[in-house]
Amino acid sequence: MPIVLSEPAPKGRGLTILFELEDLARTRFAPAPLPMYELVFTVHSGDWDRLLLPQIRPLAELVRPGRFIPDFFNSACPDFDEAVRQVLDVSAARVRDQIASMLGTTSPWLRSFAAGTPTSRQDLNSALRSAFRELLGPDWPQTRQAFEAEVRLRSAQAMTRGLGGLLGDLHPSISWTSPALHVELGWDTEISLRGTGVLIVPVLHGLTRPAVSMFAEPQPLLFYPVAAPRPGGASLELALGRTRTLVLRALTSERTTTELAKHVGISLPTASQHATALRTAGFVSTHRNGRSVRHRLTRRGWELLN
């Protein structure tokens, strides 16, 4: 099964993942940002400079906007060199099946890659390395920092609200009703994990809605976005004001009012005022957890940013 991105669906429709006790015990976060997924989601988004196309064309042919992402890109390895090796080592039969079912051999290079020629593997190797260097490399230290901050926040949330509370609050299109996790998709299907649990992967680049890879090994993968794509201009700031726009972007991750104030660099009363205004407009949801008040984007908030 390819890597599938979620899509808006009527309430109650989509992928239902059934958890048993052993699944909950084995569900965990990725230990670090996973470079192969960060890269393919970035290319899949189409949000990159087309001047790069000659350098990354093989990757761009395999990861096209609006199409499923082939599952031979599955690599939950935090080391990019090892992740590239895993992708290039995939069997020719698996490559042929994925290309035939999802992409079609519509170019000479795709036909060569589907046939398993060594030069086509070398082409993909070069494209992967060029794409990572140009699209992600300059900001990779910041990506790691943002990833670690997100996992720390989620760990604290799991401690105070439980794993079910954490799972149900990853994104507006993900919900938890014990014993099942529901992800909005354009069709209905139900899957039992049978003891594998799920690897939860925060994604910092390219992803605006959750995605799943249910037959990845050794366990299925659940991806969710933790930052909005790079802003496209000043239009949002013009409508909301710079500070309120910064607050909105900061709430792609759940934060207390104090954390929000610190992150944006504003006073606590100002952070509270902006969060209240955004909540009133329907862009932010707020809930109380003990003495703290926590804020996070709603579906409308994500749509406004994206």
Side-chain angles (χ1 to χ4, degrees):
M1 179 179 177
I3 302 168
V4 180
L5 277 70
S6 79
E7 55 191 78
K11 187 173 177 59
R13 186 176 183 185
L15 171 65
T16 299
I17 306 171
L18 297 176
F19 282 70
E20 299 174 1
L21 183 59
E22 192 172 1
D23 297 308
L24 290 171
R26 292 185 176 178
T27 292
R28 61 193 178 93
F29 275 84
L34 303 183
M36 187 58 66
Y37 295 114
E38 296 281 349
L39 182 58
V40 296
F41 287 133
T42 297
V43 175
H44 187 266
S45 74
D47 185 21
W48 44 274
D49 190 339
R50 286 303 181 273
L51 291 175
L52 288 174
L53 185 58
Q55 298 178 54
I56 70 170
R57 187 180 297 278
L59 178 59
E61 289 198 32
L62 290 168
V63 183
R64 303 180 197 170
R67 301 285 189 97
F68 291 141
I69 297 172
D71 70 4
F72 52 74
F73 284 107
N74 274 330
S75 174
C77 181
D79 178 78
F80 184 63
D81 289 335
E82 177 61 19
V84 170
R85 188 194 64 75
Q86 290 177 1
V87 171
L88 297 178
D89 281 351
V90 69
S91 71
R94 187 171 163 197
V95 169
R96 281 195 302 273
D97 289 346
Q98 292 272 298
I99 290 179
S101 62
M102 289 187 297
L103 301 174
T105 51
T106 54
S107 76
W109 185 84
L110 276 177
R111 288 194 290 273
S112 176
F113 188 61
T117 62
T119 55
S120 67
R121 300 280 171 128
Q122 293 167 11
D123 291 340
L124 181 57
N125 179 33
S126 297
L128 286 166
R129 295 182 185 281
S130 294
F132 184 83
R133 182 178 63 251
E134 298 295 334
L135 296 174
L136 301 181
D139 297 324
W140 194 247
Q142 291 83 354
T143 296
R144 292 186 65 89
Q145 291 171 7
F147 181 95
E148 290 164 2
E150 171 69 11
V151 173
R152 285 196 301 270
L153 181 68
R154 293 301 180 175
S155 299
Q157 185 179 359
M159 291 293 290
T160 56
R161 300 182 60 198
L163 189 56
L166 180 152
L167 290 170
D169 197 47
L170 293 174
H171 188 271
S173 63
I174 299 174
S175 58
W176 169 263
T177 303
S178 184
L181 188 71
H182 185 81
V183 183
E184 290 181 0
L185 289 177
W187 68 90
D188 287 322
T189 188
E190 185 175 284
I191 294 176
S192 296
L193 293 174
R194 304 185 186 280
T196 62
V198 169
L199 184 68
I200 304 171
V201 185
V203 176
L204 279 294
H205 300 90
L207 198 62
T208 59
R209 295 185 60 83
V212 293
S213 184
M214 290 310 301
F215 298 107
E217 296 291 343
Q219 63 187 148
L221 299 154
L222 172 65
F223 308 93
Y224 72 97
V226 296
R230 295 185 300 276
S235 58
L236 190 58
E237 289 190 10
L238 188 62
L240 297 180
R242 184 173 185 277
T243 301
R244 192 159 293 175
T245 302
L246 290 173
V247 168
L248 191 72
R249 289 178 183 143
L251 293 179
T252 54
S253 294
E254 184 181 270
R255 302 182 194 274
T256 65
T257 308
T258 301
E259 290 167 342
L260 178 62
K262 245 183 233 186
H263 183 84
V264 179
I266 55 180
S267 69
L268 194 58
T270 301
S272 179
Q273 180 185 18
H274 284 302
T276 298
L278 291 168
R279 183 177 68 249
T280 302
F283 299 131
V284 166
S285 64
T286 299
H287 68 270
R288 183 169 290 279
N289 183 10
R291 292 186 175 183
S292 65
V293 174
R294 307 190 72 88
H295 314 281
R296 187 168 178 82
L297 287 190
T298 61
R299 184 199 306 270
R300 285 188 66 197
W302 279 100
E303 290 171 350
L304 181 65
L305 280 178
N306 298 328

